[in-house]
Amino acid sequence: MSLIDRYLGKEILLPFVAGLLFLTQLLLATQLLAQADVLFGSGVAFGDVAAIVIALLPHVLGYVLPIAFLLGGVLGVGRLAEDREVVALGAAGISPARLVRVPLALGVVAAALGLWLSLSLEPAGLHAARLRLNEIVKRNVTNDVRAGTFYDQIPGYTVYAERVRRGGWENVLISDRSNPDAPVLALARAGRLEPVGVGQEMQLVLDAGELHREDAEGAEGGEYVTARFRHAELVLGLGTALTDRNALSGSSREMDVATMRARASAERARGDVGQALRFEGYLHRRIAQPLALIPFALLAVPLGASRRIGRGFAVAATLLAVVAHYVLLRGGEVLAQKGALPAAIALQLPTIVLSLVALALVVQQARRGVGAVR
């Protein structure tokens, strides 16, 4: 690697790292604020928030890595162009197109890192974040029951406690309407809710109480049943109380490569081609996102070295490239879902089209020579 390559690499990496840190913090803050009602609940500890942030990092980096890299490349090359260093290189016989190999090499390394994050770390991280959020929701439900207040956030149940002490209740009334034909009223001296496993269930524990149950047909000869108990345990399904609060529930990005391929094969075997194409699209979109670094690396020099139009236009062109990539990616998804193109090709349309545009700009710049950057 020559001195010029190391120099340009440093100029690109500095704004790239700065942009990566800024955009990552911004997107993480957005993700956390979207779950503010859960993460700022009564059952949350600092370790919970830290664990969720770490688990979401691969997912967030997958989005910001291409944008930060393109911005770093444009700003790095643009700094050389503003100081007329690109002109000096041209006077020394070094074409501006020769500079492309530095961002391209960095882009290939960053794309490999992005593929690793997208295909390996992101599914595992989202899975861990979802389970931790489920646990937090359950703890919030346990701690959200207030003394002297009816709590009805558990589907089919209403809880009332005269006193609440450290997650435990005293003099408890629970209305169970999960079966409308046979509602149950439970009275107990003490009770509490305990998380169970990693699913949507919680365990209701009651001590020293009695149950009252009346059939819906009681007026026509049905039975009214009363039973006393010393200790009772009942598993409750939180249902929408859990899924509505957890924004990560049911995310397709939580599936790993093997799972998506297996689902696609299973849907094809059942004859549901639409669903099979959908899962194939999920897989190849996950591959296409980090590969955006390749055309972005090629665009860095043509955009950044165009000193005539200024850095402001270069930054605007960066945003335009990101928008163009997104539009082409969405168009590729539609083509893949309709079966017009194989998912492996349709989802790579952004990479192919933007790479061709970038190469055309590089060739044009090489033909214009130093005059292209004066």
Side-chain angles (χ1 to χ4, degrees), residues 207-251:
D207 296 315
E210 59 184 33
L211 294 175
H212 298 263
R213 174 177 174 177
E214 180 179 4
D215 292 340
E217 299 177 355
E220 302 178 34
E223 295 184 350
Y224 185 91
V225 179
T226 302
R228 295 182 180 274
F229 59 87
R230 289 185 179 180
H231 182 82
E233 296 179 356
L234 176 65
V235 175
L236 309 178
L238 292 184
T240 57
L242 185 63
T243 55
D244 288 350
R245 299 185 186 186
N246 190 343
L248 299 178
S249 296
S251 173

Side-chain angles (χ1 to χ4, degrees), residues 15 28 121 145 181 198 243 254 303 306 356:
L28 276 176
L121 295 187
V145 177
D181 295 331
V198 296
T243 55
E254 190 179 321
L303 295 181
S306 299
L356 292 175

Side-chain angles (χ1 to χ4, degrees), residues 181-196:
D181 295 331
V184 176
L185 180 67
L187 305 173
R189 188 174 298 276
R192 63 187 181 277
L193 275 173
E194 299 177 346
V196 177

